[in-house]
Amino acid sequence: LRENNVEEFRSLFFELHPYDQAKFFLKLDQPDRMLLYQILSPEEMANVFENIRDDKNRYKSLLEEMHPAFAAKMMEYMYADDAADVLSELTKEKISSYLTIMDAQTAKSISELLDYEQFTAGSIMTTEFVAINANYTVQSTMDLLRKEAPDAETIYYLYVIDEEKHLVGVLSLRDLIVHEDDTLIADIMKKKVYSVSVADDQEEVARKMKDYNFLALPVVDFQHRLVGIITVDDIIDVLDEEASDDYSKLAAVSDVDSYDPNAVSAAKKRLPWLIILLFLGMFTAGLIGQFEETLNKVATLALFIPLIAGMAGNTGTQALAVAVRRIATGEGTSERVWKIILKEAGTGLITGTVCGIVVALTIFIWKQKFFLGLLVGLSILSTLTVATIAGAFVPLVMHRLRIDPAVASGPFITTINDMISILIYFGMATLFMNYLL
Amino acid sequence: LRENNVEEFRSLFFELHPYDQAKFFLKLDQPDRMLLYQILSPEEMANVFENIRDDKNRYKSLLEEMHPAFAAKMMEYMYADDAADVLSELTKEKISSYLTIMDAQTAKSISELLDYEQFTAGSIMTTEFVAINANYTVQSTMDLLRKEAPDAETIYYLYVIDEEKHLVGVLSLRDLIVHEDDTLIADIMKKKVYSVSVADDQEEVARKMKDYNFLALPVVDFQHRLVGIITVDDIIDVLDEEASDDYSKLAAVSDVDSYDPNAVSAAKKRLPWLIILLFLGMFTAGLIGQFEETLNKVATLALFIPLIAGMAGNTGTQALAVAVRRIATGEGTSERVWKIILKEAGTGLITGTVCGIVVALTIFIWKQKFFLGLLVGLSILSTLTVATIAGAFVPLVMHRLRIDPAVASGPFITTINDMISILIYFGMATLFMNYLL
């Protein structure tokens, strides 16, 4: 199709939305892609490249198959934040080799973006925004907008700065068009501007944007000078990333979202977790080994090991999930930690009592053994209480120690709770052995 | 503070962003809120009310403490989709009693929104959009915009419709301002319009908006007539909801995000899951009970029950999480199900082999028992393979049966895999009993 008629292909291709162009591009094999680099201009290719955000791991190999001059030109045409995103996947040497053949000013703004630490507002912001002065009129602002519209990432918010580039006001395009041509910007701008600092965590920025329903947020440096903006589309990606990150960690997979072409690559991602969990499991086995004598006397005890350990794991995961989400939504403020733990202890006590009674009755009816039922019931009661507290306590403490609480992933809490539950169960069984025989 | 000086309070209050006004409002106790209803106009209150989206469960009680006429007036001033959202929490009778005292036209559009099924595009769209005709000029469109700007939810996309209200084009405000005043809309509009149908699932709409970076999407009915728009802020809420929904189900808590004022309400949410899991756990206990004779002979076998069951649970959860996310991002297309299962089988075999060898060696060194190590190693190998396949297979089948795969939550898969692993472990132990003694 493509080789026959370049013109026809081009017209078909440009009818597609850039996102679909990118999807099409990624499906091509290498020779076809090489052909495309010749058919499309760097500017057109930039549009395609900006839309392969979901497959960041392919940036590197794609760049390498392009002619360096073409690649550099293409990145010049990309929004600075997207270009920085692409380059951040490369080595330091590669980056500077691309930057040196770019237009000096673009190279400068890209390399500034690359300097910001990962996951901060600075690293996701773009420098293509529209800034105006307070002494502009509506008319002169509109004139400026018409000129800058093709380059700016959004023109729906206009930021007002003073001579030192300090952010002093904000104005939406909506405000602008409803006012008379000769109105002074100073008279209609909002002086209370919500902004974030370059060093703010991207998750905080995302929360703010979501709560306040902004389409863009200005980013200021430590001297409160406007240096960039973050637009809502970047924030959607951040929220999505963070959510799937929490999800991955609860499931103990390194990265649940990236595509695995084959079984080996999938296995590689899961094995490190599994091996760690395997050794934690060996500890549990060792722990039960300490009670081998008890087990030899009453083998029936083994029947309820998975039940008790499983319940401890489940309830711990519930408490963990609630705590992790509470922290993620910013509700985990420090003063209330003890109140939260106390509440979780209450929750554990209630669920433990109910489950304990249910299990004791079931075993009593099933096995006709009163003391065995009592033992398992009491173990469930104490295990659930302790496991619930552990599930909530561990992430909250990690959060205060500034470790991402989501790394206290489901299986870890589960394994810890396995051990606690076995200690409680066999401990009690050994103590009250006389009643069980 | 507030009782002393109404004027001062009002001026302070309106300096706040509506989201902060809402936060402040929610912190007040009832008498203070009653006072606020007298100080604020229905229109001002509408602004506050639109921003308590995160606490939907309070809508009902708040509405009930207001004077019905005030409440109805307030909902008239709210965006139709937000008002419908508030009303959807009430009983049918309550809803119609509010609608009858509202302005007829507003009542009509709100009740139409209420008719759409939950979680569809229709239920989250708003009817306050700007629609124009193709024969308008840039100038006449700008005049219209100036008039409609205060009411429309977004003015950054303008939708072009024909006489039968069919959607025929789209135009961004950006396109509009860069063209001359006398340009005809027909000449500058994009004829290829991305739209969604009222019946589309909200998650699909969210994906589309995220992938294509739209700020708004038009919603059409079955005759392709424009009936509403969905804006990006609503979509952020949808994405957040869906992500926390998947997360909750992996952790087996009904709703991880809603706030629990006390331990009882938290326990109520977790108990149903725990009781179900408890009875599933009893099955596991019964299953081990079938092998009590084997256990009586070799009590050491009990040591590795939690290890094997735990590993099965972990690997199953990993496979489950990957499958659920794959479905959520729309990659779970039907043709590839068998390829996915095959790949997961491969992954299970690899992880199983590695973990099996590690565990066999460890037990051999630790316990000096060759056959025990071999048994546990082989159990891990087969368990991990089966558990990985089960973890991937169950959600994929559920998806094809049109059941939300996320309800195959972590603990369920874990319990099923517990049982499979015990059957494999004790089955093999019983078969090769002679070597173990």
Side-chain angles (χ1 to χ4, degrees):
Chain A
L1 174 93
R2 180 163 356 93
E3 306 189 36
N4 301 339
N5 194 329
V6 170
E7 271 320 301
E8 195 182 322
F9 167 75
R10 279 181 58 95
S11 76
L12 272 172
F13 189 70
F14 290 120
E15 263 181 30
L16 296 175
H17 186 278
Y19 177 75
D20 293 322
Q21 293 175 6
K23 273 208 295 197
F24 171 81
F25 169 72
L26 288 176
K27 277 194 196 123
L28 296 178
D29 50 18
Q30 214 228 354
D32 282 346
R33 286 199 303 267
M34 300 304 284
L35 211 74
L36 205 64
Y37 301 145
Q38 287 166 10
I39 296 175
L40 299 183
S41 72
E43 187 172 0
E44 290 155 356
M45 196 61 218
N47 232 321
V48 177
F49 228 73
E50 274 167 359
N51 278 284
I52 53 180
R53 287 160 292 141
D54 294 341
D55 287 278
K56 294 192 176 185
N57 49 334
R58 297 194 57 183
Y59 283 155
K60 203 178 149 200
S61 64
L62 289 173
L63 271 194
E64 272 165 9
E65 68 188 27
M66 290 181 195
H67 191 283
F70 181 88
K73 203 87 198 146
M74 178 189 81
M75 284 185 280
E76 273 181 34
Y77 282 112
M78 287 173 72
Y79 286 119
D81 59 337
D82 291 326
D85 227 31
V86 172
L87 283 173
S88 66
E89 305 282 316
L90 307 181
T91 61
K92 280 233 159 74
E93 293 77 41
K94 282 272 170 197
I95 295 176
S96 55
S97 78
Y98 281 117
L99 287 178
T100 46
I101 49 176
M102 276 188 212
D103 159 69
Q105 204 184 336
T106 316
K108 187 165 163 274
S109 57
I110 293 177
S111 86
E112 273 170 12
L113 286 179
L114 281 169
D115 283 342
Y116 292 108
E117 230 173 305
Q118 247 200 315
F119 309 125
T120 61
S123 74
I124 56 167
M125 74 183 186
T126 183
T127 47
E128 283 104 347
F129 54 84
V130 185
I132 53 175
N133 280 121
N135 57 6
Y136 279 31
T137 62
V138 167
Q139 178 66 53
S140 60
T141 308
M142 284 299 274
D143 289 343
L144 179 81
L145 272 188
R146 285 194 189 94
K147 220 178 60 200
E148 299 216 351
D151 285 328
E153 192 159 337
T154 181
I155 58 161
Y156 301 134
Y157 286 103
L158 311 165
Y159 299 99
V160 188
I161 52 176
D162 63 14
E163 300 76 48
E164 279 93 39
K165 293 195 174 177
H166 294 134
L167 183 62
V168 294
V170 66
L171 186 73
S172 72
L173 184 50
R174 199 176 180 133
D175 300 330
L176 195 69
I177 64 163
V178 296
H179 284 95
E180 298 293 321
D181 279 355
D182 54 358
T183 316
L184 215 60
I185 294 299
D187 296 334
I188 54 174
M189 72 183 191
K190 280 202 197 83
K191 286 190 190 75
K192 178 159 185 177
V193 193
Y194 287 79
S195 65
V196 294
S197 152
V198 280
D200 281 354
D201 185 80
Q202 61 174 8
E203 202 168 352
E204 265 169 64
V205 179
R207 277 290 136 201
K208 204 167 194 171
M209 204 146 197
K210 174 183 173 301
D211 287 341
Y212 292 93
N213 275 349
F214 292 127
L215 293 178
L217 263 177
V219 185
V220 294
D221 64 10
F222 299 108
Q223 284 79 45
H224 205 71
R225 284 180 307 220
L226 181 64
V227 289
I229 59 166
I230 295 176
T231 50
V232 70
D233 52 304
D234 298 321
I235 283 311
I236 291 185
D237 293 339
V238 168
L239 284 171
D240 211 49
E241 239 170 64
E242 302 273 357
S244 98
D245 207 39
D246 284 355
Y247 190 80
S248 303
K249 277 166 187 156
L250 193 64
V253 207
S254 340
D255 181 3
V256 93
D257 268 350
S258 69
Y259 175 74
D260 295 306
N262 57 52
V264 178
S265 96
K268 263 192 205 155
K269 264 190 221 155
R270 302 185 199 172
L271 261 176
W273 293 88
L274 287 175
I275 301 269
I276 297 171
L277 293 167
L278 188 68
F279 279 103
L280 286 175
M282 294 300 289
F283 273 106
T284 317
L287 209 59
I288 305 181
Q290 301 301 312
F291 297 100
E292 219 171 328
E293 209 181 312
T294 312
L295 254 177
N296 266 321
K297 286 186 199 148
V298 195
T300 320
L301 284 176
L303 268 64
F304 302 99
I305 296 177
L307 173 73
I308 293 173
M311 290 299 286
N314 293 331
T315 194
T317 307
Q318 289 181 332
L320 169 83
V322 172
V324 167
R325 287 295 297 190
R326 185 177 290 138
I327 292 167
T329 53
E331 289 178 60
T333 40
S334 52
E335 323 95 281
R336 298 206 321 227
V337 167
W338 291 108
K339 242 180 100 188
I340 294 170
I341 299 289
L342 217 68
K343 205 167 73 182
E344 286 292 333
T347 309
L349 213 58
I350 297 171
T351 53
T353 308
V354 175
C355 292
I357 292 174
V358 171
V359 88
L361 285 177
T362 314
I363 293 177
F364 184 59
I365 295 166
W366 173 32
K367 293 254 164 192
Q368 310 280 317
K369 283 180 182 159
F370 177 71
F371 279 108
L372 184 67
L374 194 68
L375 172 73
V376 178
L378 280 175
S379 299
I380 289 275
L381 164 59
S382 34
T383 296
L384 258 58
T385 310
V386 176
T388 306
I389 297 173
F393 186 72
V394 172
L396 287 169
V397 166
M398 290 177 93
H399 179 63
R400 292 197 71 175
L401 298 176
R402 306 197 149 266
I403 308 169
D404 180 0
V407 295
S409 63
F412 279 110
I413 285 285
T414 302
T415 311
I416 293 169
N417 282 334
D418 271 4
M419 295 194 222
I420 297 175
S421 64
I422 279 158
L423 220 53
I424 293 176
Y425 178 46
F426 279 102
M428 290 213 289
T430 311
L431 270 175
F432 302 110
M433 180 54 82
N434 293 337
Y435 300 99
L436 291 170
L437 290 171
Chain B
L1 174 95
R2 182 164 353 95
E3 306 189 38
N4 301 340
N5 195 328
V6 170
E7 270 321 300
E8 195 180 323
F9 166 75
R10 280 182 57 98
S11 77
L12 272 172
F13 189 70
F14 290 118
E15 262 182 33
L16 296 175
H17 185 280
Y19 177 74
D20 294 322
Q21 293 175 4
K23 273 208 294 198
F24 171 80
F25 169 70
L26 288 176
K27 276 195 196 122
L28 296 179
D29 50 20
Q30 213 229 355
D32 281 346
R33 286 200 303 270
M34 300 305 283
L35 211 73
L36 205 64
Y37 301 144
Q38 286 165 10
I39 296 174
L40 298 183
S41 72
E43 187 171 0
E44 289 156 356
M45 197 61 218
N47 232 322
V48 177
F49 227 73
E50 274 166 0
N51 279 283
I52 54 179
R53 289 160 291 142
D54 295 339
D55 286 280
K56 293 191 177 188
N57 49 334
R58 295 194 58 183
Y59 282 156
K60 202 178 149 200
S61 61
L62 289 173
L63 271 194
E64 272 165 9
E65 68 187 27
M66 291 182 194
H67 190 282
F70 181 87
K73 203 85 198 149
M74 177 189 81
M75 284 185 279
E76 273 181 35
Y77 282 112
M78 287 172 72
Y79 287 119
D81 59 336
D82 291 326
D85 228 32
V86 172
L87 283 173
S88 67
E89 305 281 316
L90 306 182
T91 61
K92 281 232 158 79
E93 292 78 42
K94 281 271 171 200
I95 295 176
S96 55
S97 77
Y98 280 117
L99 287 178
T100 45
I101 48 176
M102 275 188 213
D103 160 69
Q105 204 183 336
T106 316
K108 186 164 164 275
S109 58
I110 294 177
S111 86
E112 272 169 15
L113 286 178
L114 282 169
D115 283 342
Y116 291 109
E117 230 173 304
Q118 247 200 317
F119 308 126
T120 61
S123 74
I124 55 169
M125 73 185 186
T126 182
T127 47
E128 283 105 347
F129 54 84
V130 185
I132 53 175
N133 281 120
N135 57 5
Y136 278 31
T137 63
V138 167
Q139 178 66 53
S140 60
T141 307
M142 284 299 274
D143 290 342
L144 180 80
L145 272 188
R146 285 192 188 96
K147 222 177 60 198
E148 298 215 352
D151 283 328
E153 192 157 339
T154 181
I155 58 161
Y156 300 134
Y157 287 104
L158 311 167
Y159 299 100
V160 188
I161 52 177
D162 64 14
E163 301 75 46
E164 279 92 40
K165 293 194 174 177
H166 293 135
L167 184 62
V168 294
V170 67
L171 187 74
S172 71
L173 184 50
R174 199 173 179 136
D175 300 328
L176 194 70
I177 64 165
V178 296
H179 284 95
E180 297 294 319
D181 280 355
D182 54 359
T183 316
L184 214 61
I185 295 300
D187 296 334
I188 53 173
M189 71 182 190
K190 280 202 197 83
K191 286 192 190 72
K192 178 159 183 178
V193 193
Y194 288 79
S195 65
V196 294
S197 150
V198 280
D200 281 354
D201 186 80
Q202 61 174 9
E203 201 166 355
E204 266 169 62
V205 179
R207 277 291 138 202
K208 203 166 195 173
M209 204 145 193
K210 173 183 174 302
D211 287 341
Y212 291 93
N213 274 351
F214 293 127
L215 293 179
L217 263 177
V219 185
V220 294
D221 65 11
F222 300 109
Q223 284 80 44
H224 205 71
R225 285 180 306 219
L226 181 63
V227 288
I229 59 167
I230 295 175
T231 49
V232 70
D233 52 304
D234 298 320
I235 284 310
I236 293 184
D237 293 339
V238 168
L239 284 170
D240 211 51
E241 241 170 63
E242 302 274 357
S244 98
D245 207 38
D246 284 356
Y247 190 80
S248 302
K249 278 167 187 156
L250 193 66
V253 208
S254 341
D255 180 3
V256 92
D257 269 350
S258 70
Y259 176 74
D260 295 307
N262 57 51
V264 178
S265 95
K268 264 192 204 156
K269 265 190 221 155
R270 300 185 200 172
L271 261 176
W273 293 88
L274 288 175
I275 300 270
I276 296 171
L277 294 166
L278 188 69
F279 279 103
L280 287 174
M282 293 301 288
F283 273 106
T284 317
L287 209 60
I288 305 180
Q290 301 300 311
F291 298 98
E292 218 172 330
E293 210 180 311
T294 312
L295 254 176
N296 266 322
K297 286 185 200 150
V298 195
T300 319
L301 285 177
L303 268 64
F304 302 99
I305 297 178
L307 173 73
I308 294 174
M311 289 300 284
N314 293 331
T315 193
T317 307
Q318 289 181 332
L320 169 84
V322 172
V324 167
R325 287 297 295 188
R326 186 177 288 136
I327 292 168
T329 54
E331 288 179 61
T333 40
S334 52
E335 322 94 284
R336 300 205 321 227
V337 167
W338 292 107
K339 244 180 100 187
I340 294 170
I341 298 289
L342 216 70
K343 205 167 73 182
E344 286 293 332
T347 309
L349 212 58
I350 298 171
T351 52
T353 308
V354 175
C355 291
I357 293 173
V358 170
V359 88
L361 286 176
T362 314
I363 292 176
F364 184 59
I365 295 166
W366 174 31
K367 291 257 162 188
Q368 311 280 318
K369 283 180 183 159
F370 177 71
F371 279 106
L372 185 67
L374 193 66
L375 172 73
V376 177
L378 280 176
S379 299
I380 290 275
L381 163 58
S382 33
T383 296
L384 257 57
T385 311
V386 177
T388 306
I389 297 172
F393 187 72
V394 172
L396 286 170
V397 167
M398 290 178 91
H399 179 61
R400 291 196 72 177
L401 297 176
R402 304 193 151 270
I403 307 169
D404 180 2
V407 294
S409 62
F412 278 109
I413 285 286
T414 302
T415 310
I416 292 169
N417 283 334
D418 270 6
M419 294 193 221
I420 296 175
S421 64
I422 279 159
L423 219 54
I424 293 175
Y425 178 48
F426 279 103
M428 290 211 287
T430 311
L431 271 174
F432 302 110
M433 179 54 81
N434 293 336
Y435 299 100
L436 290 169
L437 289 172

